Amino acid sequence: MENKVTKETILRISGVNPRKCMRCGKCSGTCPSYDEMEYHPHQFVYMVENGEIEPLLKSKSIYKCLSCFACVERCPRDVEPAKLVEAIRLAVIRQQGENHLKPETIPEVLNADLPQQAIVSAFRKYSK
Amino acid sequence: MQVNNSEFKPKIVAFCCNWCSYAGADLAGTNRLNYPADVKIIRVPCSCRVNPMFILRAFQRGADGVILCGCHPGDCHYTTGNYYTRRRMTLLFSMLDYLGIEKERTRVEWVSAAEGAKFAATMNDFVETVTKLGENKRLEDLRCKEK
Amino acid sequence: MQREMIERAKALLADGTVNRVIGWKAGEFDYDITPAVFTTAEELDAGFLYNDLCAANLSKYLIKESRKEGKILAFLKPCDTYSFSQLLKEHRIWRDHVYVIGVPCEGKVDVDTVKSKGITGICSMRCDGETVRVETLYGEESIKKDEAMADRCLNCKSKKHVVYDELMGEEGDVLDSHRFDMVEKLENMTPDERFAFWRGELSRCIRCNACRNVCPACTCEKCVFDNDASGIAQKAAVDSFEENMFHIIRAFHVAGRCTDCGECSRVCPQNIPLHLLNRKFIKDIDELYGEYQAGADPDTKPPLNTFTQEDAEPSVIYERGGNK
Amino acid sequence: MQRIGVFICHCGTNIAATVDVKAVAEALKHEPGVVFSTDYPYMCSEAGQNIVKDAIRDYHLSGVVICSCSPRMHEATFRKAAAVAGLNPYMVEIANIREQCSWIHKDIPQATEKAITLGKAAIAKVHLNAPLYAGESPVVKRALVIGGGIAGIQTALDIADAGFPVDIVETKPTIGGKMTQLDKTFPTLDCAACILTPKMVDCAQNENIKIYSYSEVTDVKGFVGNFTVTIKRKARYVDETKCTGCGICTEKCPMKKVPNEFNLGMNNRSAVYIPFAQAVPKVATIDPEHCNMLKKGKCGLCAKVCTAGAIDYKQKDEFIEEQYGAIVVATGYNPINLDKFDEFAYSQSKDVITSLEFERLTNAAGPTSGTLLRPSDGKHPHTIVFVQCVGSRDTSGCGKEYCSKICCMYTAKHAMLTREKYPDTDVYVFYIDVRTPGKSFDEFYRRAVEQYGVHYIKGMVGKIVPQADGTLAVQASDLLDNKQLHINADLVVLAAAIEPDKSARPLATMLTASMDTNDFFTEAHPKLRPVESPTAGVFLSGTCQGPKDIPETVSQAGAAASKVIGLLCKDKLTCNPCVAHSDEWMCNGCSACEKVCPYGAITYEDKEFRMPDRTTAIRRVAIVNEAVCQGCGACTVACPSGAMDLKGFSNSQIMAEVDAICK
């Protein structure tokens, strides 16, 4: 599993065409986790397009993304940055070969106020 | 191009609308894009001028394939002509197919005045397809009792 | 029903509403019934017929008849009203010169179908409820009516009259027919099988033009095949393809206008199932451009004279399944 | 039998290198009807043309076939040459043996054989050619301008100045359009009203201009030079000829709670109203939606106070029919609806406004008399955020794919003017790109930044949340600083994309003019014929053709006017003779051809015929208006009997070509 994650892999997993981006920055303008992130949504798009995958794979930013899809919703060019974040995350998980979130750990972290959608989203994010 | 039967040269009639496809064919020429000499073009003002009778007549007189080229839907010089072409030819070709005549002998392709390369590529492909099918015997044979 | 129709016709003649009546009368043989125009009560009494053998579609005759002086009474079967309505849509009939009485139809007995069941030497036929009694040179035979009807009646599309001034009998409904079954069967054959089928059928054509002459959609002042300027007028067939071209073009010309009355197949002396060509167009139109029944209403645009921007590309026929 | 001459062009070596021209000339010499066949290096040269002309005279040619380059290249040249020699120009056919033969084939025998076949096809066609004569149609010397904004006004003034009568049809009670709502105009900052209202007055006073305000075009028939247009004059319940525009009725009207559309609903007007002080025509209009008299039959106050007796509650919509030689479309634009942009809280907060609303807020005739105040509480805003590209350059489906073009400049103007008048205000402009091509445009934008200290930030606003204290929390990205910004703004101004007016599409259908997917009218040629629509006689002026600013609109309006003048100067128009023609003896009158005609060129007539059997019959037959027909041929295929045929491309001609090619 030592395969290098390439730009092509990310594009294939995400189905995103970063060339559609016109660099308006609305994704980052709308992102609720912006300040938590080292790389911001628009940078994900730009860096993937430039093939700078390695720093993204190492960045904690991919776990800071809430998968709220605000960037996807509001992007005027239909670029869908969150899908790139997700694809990078998946690439990391595939390399590690292990889940960040295991079903048995869920009851501990479960909070009655947590929306169902968030649990599903978390599963999608942190497990294979 | 692979030709199984090197003897056989198909006769291809191409109807091209004056505004897009004929200009596209001219552009193919200007750019020296080769396609077989078997293709002979007839200029019509619009693809909607092409009467099914012309196509059948071509087959009757020995054509092996007939292709019809017009502006892309929505780009018709006469606004709507090729939309009618689209319906007419879909139904006609479906009928020929229903009679058991190879549907590959008929084709409609939208070629704009800027698509010289597409015109040449289309003609190359069509000639190749028809060459593989061989001579158009079926239409004529349709009426002959089996021996 | 026949009596009732004659009485009503006489009454309309008497009060001056109409001056002629178009209906049916016996031909050379009594199963061979032909359309006829009656002008007096006496003629009606002597010749007017309406029974299960009156198959002819009268609508086409009204093109000429409606252009004459005065009004004509026309008895139209459900089938005929579709053709009538389609002709109105094409401005071919002068509506105010025709008084239409819709008459019911229970399906017509077809002499060729009876013959195909092995009954020969037919002298006369008579319908007796669900049984057809056939008098032949060799004695009387009987056959179930279902077996004596042509395909067009077995797969009747509608018992409803779409146009009329008055109605006799009960109004029927549009039916769910299986009229496309045979077309579908052909579509599912291989091209070779289809070719063999059509070669078998079309090779019998003698180009008598009966199909064209009877067709209520073929109403051109001058047929394109008789038009010297068209470039395809035929004095004599140039080659064996000529007749195919005729049938394909004829079907194309009536596409979107053919009401599927089935007269072409009824009158074909060679029994070529010509209606299968028309039905193929109808089926394609229904599938590609939405259900369309020619003659069903006066307003919808004929499918070949309209379009949508989202119409299927002609390549759709390469993609459609079942006929690889 | 025709006497045909065949002329093979070498085109230098362009043709002759791949096609054996001598062999072609020799082969075609033996075709039936060919009496002369020759070749020449450059047939299109003067010497070449003379060969053709001489041969026509010497050999009494009745038809000419030129085997040369594409007919799109030189068909007109050779037709002209034939005409000079006394041959009908439509007896010339071109066989394209360059673009479609010599240039694409390498094998000489093959190319030669193909050239011969193409020549034979052209000969076969010429055999069936008949002389064609271009018809003429008269020109009605009056123009119609649809839309009375700056584009329509300028076009009308220019046409009227040339001496032709022009009518302006405007749906609103006054002409002037969007420009009347603007405050200052970039880049010179002159006041819009100061430069526009004199032009409006000019229109009203010009003898050649007739203004149909509060009116709509409901039907267009006819063709270039001869349009018949139905105009609906909506009932304004005020007699235009009597009203003096004194405004007493508007003062006395008790129904004063009607949102004022001129100020974009930011204040109210009365039910009987004059849109603004400089309206042209300056007459009152009663809004039937809100007038108590018209709704409930109670009130009638305006009639009582009107000294001119102009109020007429019984007025009805009136339809008038007029003839025009040319039609100019100047239907203009509107800002898009912002309902799909929840993130900017436009519908939640009164203090999130569009740029056009901002214009009204800064205009002396606006709801705040020109003092910039927040719509919610009437206080001075101290922090203003401008958001550019709201709905422009948007492929997500919420907005428009195109750039609205004017937003960068008016936003710079707004920002600059704000800073000038209220230097204590912080002004932020969020941009994706600043696009300022145009004379003095970039200088203007730089002035806003350098001289007036407007904060231009490369980035986009992500969301705006109204706060309890009345401010607006703006969250945005600063891409250059790689930061997320949080600004508490008092006022947010959205540069909404502009879109063509909704009336454009139905109008395009009436005019049979084409439109692009965004509902902008299409030009006849995007570069070389930018102010003409592909439909002859229909011209385009202003933003109905694409986003543009005032200077561009005015220059296009002038260009459209000059095209119209060029058309109206002619007494007669020459028509394309290759048009459809119906053989009335064969026509069934079935209406199939009419249904497929994109130009409405086919009508029907009940005609009396003397039949061969000496009876008389009345038959419905198709008549083609040759001036309207463009010769596409759709009708010829719809016609089952073949009664409808196309001159120059007849059924038998095409069939003859098919036969010659397949032989």
Side-chain angles (χ1 to χ4, degrees), chain D residues 139-146 151-152 154-167 224-225 227 324-330 531-533 535-541 556-571 573:
Chain D
V139 178
V140 177
K141 294 186 178 284
R142 172 185 283 272
L144 171 68
V145 174
I146 304 171
Q154 188 62 48
T155 306
L157 283 173
D158 288 352
I159 297 170
D161 275 351
F164 295 106
V166 198
D167 294 355
V224 53
F227 292 104
Y324 299 100
I327 298 178
V328 182
V329 182
V531 300
E532 291 155 84
S533 124
T535 304
V538 175
F539 302 88
L540 311 174
S541 175
Q556 199 196 20
S562 78
K563 290 282 171 193
V564 170
I565 296 163
L567 172 63
L568 297 188
C569 278
K570 291 179 188 152
D571 292 322
L573 295 174

Side-chain angles (χ1 to χ4, degrees), chain C residues 77-312:
Chain C
K77 295 175 274 128
C79 235
D80 308 357
T81 62
Y82 280 86
S83 308
F84 183 78
S85 147
Q86 180 63 26
L87 286 165
L88 285 179
K89 207 167 163 174
E90 295 172 5
H91 310 277
R92 301 291 286 143
I93 291 177
W94 296 8
R95 180 67 181 94
D96 48 4
H97 281 204
V98 188
Y99 189 87
V100 177
I101 296 184
V103 290
C105 169
E106 294 308 324
K108 299 300 176 192
V109 172
D110 179 54
V111 67
D112 288 322
T113 311
V114 174
K115 281 182 190 161
S116 72
K117 295 285 165 6
I119 301 174
T120 51
I122 301 171
C123 302
S124 77
M125 289 200 296
R126 189 160 50 80
C127 235
D128 189 0
E130 286 308 300
T131 320
V132 180
R133 308 216 177 274
V134 189
E135 219 171 282
T136 73
L137 293 170
Y138 320 106
E140 195 188 278
E141 296 213 34
S142 70
I143 178 171
K144 275 218 205 118
K145 193 180 166 193
D146 279 356
E147 290 170 14
M149 288 199 295
D151 177 59
R152 64 165 179 167
C153 294
L154 288 172
N155 281 316
C156 177
K157 64 178 179 288
S158 174
K159 299 265 187 229
K160 186 181 161 204
H161 298 80
V162 290
V163 193
Y164 55 82
D165 293 305
E166 90 182 49
L167 201 60
M168 282 186 161
E170 294 275 294
E171 176 66 310
D173 291 316
V174 176
L175 306 177
D176 285 330
S177 70
H178 294 281
R179 58 188 174 130
F180 298 122
D181 285 2
M182 186 57 192
V183 178
E184 206 165 307
K185 199 176 143 195
L186 281 165
E187 285 172 347
N188 289 328
M189 291 180 178
T190 63
D192 288 342
E193 288 166 344
R194 281 202 295 274
F195 179 71
F197 173 86
W198 282 111
R199 168 192 271 190
E201 297 293 348
L202 291 176
S203 60
R204 298 203 304 276
C205 175
I206 53 171
R207 203 42 211 288
C208 66
N209 285 338
C211 50
R212 177 183 90 184
N213 294 350
V214 80
C215 175
C218 264
T219 61
C220 287
E221 296 287 324
K222 189 173 210 174
C223 177
V224 69
F225 287 98
D226 296 341
N227 172 2
D228 291 333
S230 72
I232 56 160
Q234 301 154 337
K235 293 198 174 62
V238 172
D239 55 30
S240 59
F241 181 67
E242 207 92 35
E243 275 81 18
N244 296 334
M245 184 150 159
F246 170 76
H247 287 299
I248 299 169
I249 292 292
R250 203 186 81 79
F252 184 82
H253 279 176
V254 301
R257 303 165 54 232
C258 167
T259 62
D260 199 13
C261 74
E263 289 283 276
C264 45
S265 295
R266 181 179 72 88
V267 300
C268 179
Q270 296 291 83
N271 294 323
I272 301 171
L274 292 164
H275 65 283
L276 291 177
L277 293 175
N278 301 327
R279 278 187 184 168
K280 168 64 177 166
F281 275 134
I282 298 174
K283 184 168 179 283
D284 275 348
I285 288 169
D286 282 354
E287 287 171 3
L288 293 167
Y289 311 122
E291 296 270 321
Y292 182 83
Q293 170 61 51
D297 71 276
D299 303 316
T300 43
K301 269 196 160 189
L304 270 167
N305 294 342
T306 184
F307 63 87
T308 70
Q309 294 182 350
E310 294 77 32
D311 280 345

Side-chain angles (χ1 to χ4, degrees), chain B residues 63-79:
Chain B
D64 300 300
V66 178
I67 182 164
L68 177 49
C69 300
C71 312
H72 286 266
D75 292 348
C76 176
H77 179 79
Y78 304 100
T79 337

Side-chain angles (χ1 to χ4, degrees), chain A:
Chain A
M1 296 297 267
E2 281 310 298
N3 290 347
K4 195 169 179 291
V5 180
T6 61
K7 172 184 171 183
E8 284 64 39
T9 319
I10 299 300
L11 296 186
R12 201 188 60 242
I13 298 174
S14 65
V16 168
N17 176 7
R19 285 190 193 155
K20 290 201 288 188
C21 174
M22 62 170 175
R23 320 263 184 259
C24 73
K26 196 170 182 184
C27 46
S28 290
T30 200
C31 180
S33 310
Y34 187 96
D35 293 332
E36 315 276 317
M37 295 168 89
E38 173 191 6
Y39 297 114
H40 306 119
H42 73 275
Q43 287 172 288
F44 271 82
V45 179
Y46 192 66
M47 290 167 74
V48 168
E49 196 189 335
N50 288 340
E52 298 169 49
I53 311 295
E54 210 48 40
L56 293 176
L57 291 168
K58 293 196 179 115
S59 168
K60 288 272 175 267
S61 301
I62 53 176
Y63 305 111
K64 301 295 180 192
C65 165
L66 299 173
S67 297
C68 72
F69 291 107
C71 50
V72 173
E73 183 59 31
R74 290 179 189 152
C75 174
R77 308 294 293 186
D78 267 340
V79 179
E80 309 180 309
K83 290 195 177 170
L84 282 179
V85 180
E86 172 122 347
I88 302 267
R89 204 150 50 206
L90 271 173
V92 172
I93 291 165
R94 284 180 192 181
Q95 276 195 327
Q96 287 171 336
E98 66 175 82
N99 291 338
H100 264 231
L101 187 68
K102 296 192 176 75
E104 49 273 29
T105 60
I106 291 180
E108 298 166 32
V109 297
L110 208 56
N111 177 337
D113 295 335
L114 199 65
Q116 289 285 320
Q117 203 181 346
I119 301 174
V120 176
S121 181
F123 243 125
R124 217 176 46 225
K125 269 160 58 182
Y126 301 124
S127 60
K128 270 200 270 192

Side-chain angles (χ1 to χ4, degrees), chain D residues 411-452:
Chain D
T411 300
K413 173 189 78 178
H414 291 162
M416 183 190 284
L417 289 174
T418 308
R419 288 282 298 159
E420 185 180 53
K421 265 181 134 175
Y422 312 102
D424 60 333
T425 317
D426 269 334
V427 176
Y428 298 89
V429 176
F430 285 92
Y431 69 92
I432 303 172
D433 300 290
V434 178
R435 295 179 168 174
T436 53
K439 191 174 162 188
S440 309
F441 280 16
D442 204 62
E443 297 92 312
F444 183 83
Y445 148 63
R446 290 311 305 166
R447 212 147 36 102
V449 177
E450 293 167 27
Q451 208 171 317
Y452 290 92

Side-chain angles (χ1 to χ4, degrees), chain B residues 87 94 106 110 138 143 146, chain C residues 192 199 240 284 303 313 318:
Chain B
R87 283 203 171 188
S94 177
T106 47
W110 312 122
R138 276 225 159 148
R143 253 196 65 74
E146 262 176 289
Chain C
D192 288 342
R199 168 192 271 190
S240 59
D284 275 348
E313 291 294 327
Y318 305 100

Side-chain angles (χ1 to χ4, degrees), chain D residues 296-309:
Chain D
K296 299 175 191 150
K298 284 183 208 149
C299 184
L301 206 56
C302 49
K304 281 187 202 118
V305 299
C306 180
T307 48

